[in-house]
Each structure stands twice: as C-alpha cells, then as structure tokens.
Amino acid sequence: MQAIPLQSVLPDQHRRQLLRLGAALGITSSAVLLGACGKKAASASAIPAGATVLALGDSLTQGVGASAETSFPALLAERSGWKVVNAGVSGETSSQIAARLPALLEEHHPALVVLCAGGNDWLRRNSAQAAQTEIARMLQLCKSQGVPVLLVAVPEMSLGAALTGRLKDHPIYADLAKAEKVPLLADAWSEVLGNSAMRADQVHANAAGYARFTELLVGELKSTGFLRS
C-alpha cells in the first residue's frame, strides 16, 4: 500500500496551527502530525519466541474439563512459540492466587503474565470488593517489577445465567483495566461458558472451549502488540 504524505492529509493552515501548539507544549512535529492523523503507536513490545510467559489463575487456567494438552496455556505455547508456565490451581480464590504470585515471579521471571482470577470468588459469593482489591494488588506487583499483564475477565456466575446461557463479564474487570492501565481480554470466557457445546460442565470448558478461548486470547495478544501477527 502506498504511503500518503502527512502534508497531503492535513490542510496547510490546520497543520501550521497544530505544529505551533505542539512546539508550545514541547511535542515534536512528527508526533503532532501522527496524532492528528489518528496513527496509534503499538501499545506493547512484542515478546520473542522462547520467552517465558506465566499463565496465572484457577481451574480455567489449569484446564479442568479437558486434557493438559488442550488447556489454553498449552495451546498458547503452540501458537506463540513462548514457554508458557501453567500456574493454574483449581479451586483457588483471588486471594490464594495472589499469595502465590511473588514466588512465581521470582522463580520464572516472566516476560508477560496472563492473569485470570475471580471465578471462585463469584461461585462462593465472596465480596466483589475484596476480589477486586486482590486482583489490583497482583497487577500492581507485576507492574512494580516491570512485568506486563494481560487481564482476563471472568463472567459473574449465577443460577439465572447458567440456566439461560447468557453470561456477562463481572464489571470489576473493566474497572481494574482502566484504573491500572492494563489490557483486558473481555467477553472470551463469557462466550465460551455461555455455549453448551464448548462446556464440560456449567463452569469449565471442554477441549473445544479451550481452543476457542485460545483463539480469542491470541487475537487480543496480537492486537495489543505482545504477539507478532
């Protein structure tokens, strides 16, 4: 595709006004013009093949409902070329996952953490505020060590949602992503667990479900720049 000169995109008078404003704010002319034309820089650095990625969570990360080879960390490793550590432990709440994180970071020194926590909090009717606090603490710990995080939203489970198959992400995830400025994989588990053909039971995926989740995850990783297209 042929490149279009920036000068041809913006009218001269508008362009000069933007450049003067940028100079007053200490912004380079190229940055001003790129911003004016709607060009976005990549939001994350690509993680090279062979790097260690930590998949942290509960049974959805562990892969309950299917074999270890069809869990999403295993499938992600195949798709990305990364060394993906499956740090999912079935039954754990956000506070239990948070308790394991410091040692995991020290052991593996991951280039990225894929964090999926909260599902057991919702099933046990634990405090949403407490779960949000624990997940925020994990995000902040990773950021303090320079480790980027992709946060994964989990649906708010209820009897009505389970019966109708209409699942929605718990609202804390969008709030956390905005507050902590981390990318969010939204609606993936809601789609998978809302489809009986992709479930092993009401709260776990089957092999087809983990495959679909991985497809959505890979798409988000490419969109955010973590994974090269």
Side-chain angles (χ1 to χ4, degrees):
M1 182 170 60
Q2 185 178 4
I4 301 173
L6 291 171
Q7 289 85 348
S8 67
V9 177
L10 296 173
D12 288 343
Q13 182 179 3
H14 188 193
R15 180 169 165 270
R16 286 194 295 270
Q17 289 173 343
L18 286 172
L19 291 174
R20 284 197 296 270
L21 177 60
L25 296 174
I27 304 172
T28 65
S29 60
S30 59
V32 171
L33 292 173
L34 287 174
C37 292
K39 184 175 179 64
K40 294 173 63 179
S43 58
S45 298
I47 296 170
T52 297
V53 169
L54 181 66
L56 179 62
D58 50 33
S59 57
L60 290 174
T61 299
Q62 183 178 327
V64 172
S67 66
E69 294 75 18
T70 56
S71 67
F72 87 75
L75 297 177
L76 177 60
E78 292 177 4
R79 295 282 297 272
S80 64
W82 298 333
K83 176 186 175 183
V84 182
V85 177
N86 188 334
V89 176
S90 180
E92 285 198 338
T93 63
S94 55
S95 63
Q96 292 170 311
I97 296 169
R100 291 191 290 120
L101 178 58
L104 289 167
L105 292 176
E106 183 176 355
E107 178 183 358
H108 298 289
H109 303 285
L112 172 70
V113 172
V114 178
L115 176 59
C116 177
N120 288 304
D121 295 272
W122 316 144
L123 290 173
R124 299 177 189 181
R125 299 295 184 263
N126 291 348
S127 163
Q129 183 177 0
Q132 184 168 353
T133 298
E134 293 292 345
I135 297 172
R137 189 159 65 90
M138 288 188 271
L139 297 175
Q140 292 160 8
L141 175 60
C142 290
K143 289 196 296 181
S144 73
Q145 298 191 18
V147 181
V149 183
L150 175 66
L151 180 61
V152 178
V154 180
E156 184 174 11
M157 302 300 293
S158 67
L159 179 59
L163 291 174
T164 62
R166 291 194 295 270
L167 301 181
K168 292 183 179 180
D169 292 349
H170 197 291
I172 70 160
Y173 297 101
D175 293 342
L176 282 163
K178 181 178 180 180
E180 301 299 333
K181 297 180 174 58
V182 297
L184 174 67
L185 175 58
D187 301 321
W189 283 129
S190 290
E191 175 185 326
V192 169
L193 298 178
N195 184 339
S196 60
M198 292 192 286
R199 290 197 311 260
D201 56 44
Q202 291 298 331
V203 295
H204 297 110
N206 57 21
Y210 287 118
R212 174 56 179 161
F213 176 84
T214 304
E215 182 181 353
L216 296 169
L217 174 60
V218 166
E220 183 66 22
L221 289 165
K222 289 180 178 180
S223 176
T224 55
F226 289 123
L227 183 60
R228 293 187 179 92
S229 299

